Amino acid sequence: YQSHDKVPEQEQLVAAGCAVHAMQMAAFAQGYGAIWRTGDFCYDNGVQQSLNVTDGNDIVGFLYIGTRQKPLADKPRKPFADFVSYF
């Protein structure tokens, strides 16, 4: 994180998450498969030391990119009206 009067740490973290999401979408657009994982490794001191993550910084996740072995199955789609409301 960088100390900034107009960009608090929370917004910097969200921006990092948006960047990872954009990289994942770019991988999909190129025909690759990708999955973004967080979990215990993001918070593990040994992993952070191995990756030279300094104090005041966080790991937002790990983006795994590779060649798909098989097509993904389509999941049944739920009606959006069950989750959307208008006001």
Side-chain angles (χ1 to χ4, degrees):
Y1 301 101
Q2 294 181 1
S3 180
H4 195 284
D5 293 339
K6 295 184 179 181
V7 187
E9 284 186 6
Q10 180 182 2
E11 289 183 20
Q12 293 178 45
L13 180 63
V14 170
C18 290
V20 176
H21 179 70
M23 290 186 286
Q24 184 179 24
M25 295 299 101
F28 287 142
Q30 295 295 315
Y32 293 100
I35 187 168
W36 177 12
R37 294 282 181 142
T38 56
D40 293 340
F41 287 131
C42 291
Y43 309 103
D44 184 84
N45 288 332
V47 172
Q48 290 179 350
Q49 288 176 346
S50 296
L51 296 174
N52 297 318
V53 176
T54 58
D55 288 340
N57 290 291
D58 291 319
I59 297 173
V60 296
F62 297 94
L63 182 61
Y64 300 94
I65 301 174
T67 305
R68 291 184 185 159
Q69 295 296 310
K70 60 183 179 180
L72 296 175
D74 281 339
K75 292 183 178 179
R77 301 194 187 271
K78 298 177 182 177
F80 74 91
D82 294 345
F83 303 98
V84 176
S85 61
Y86 298 95
F87 60 95

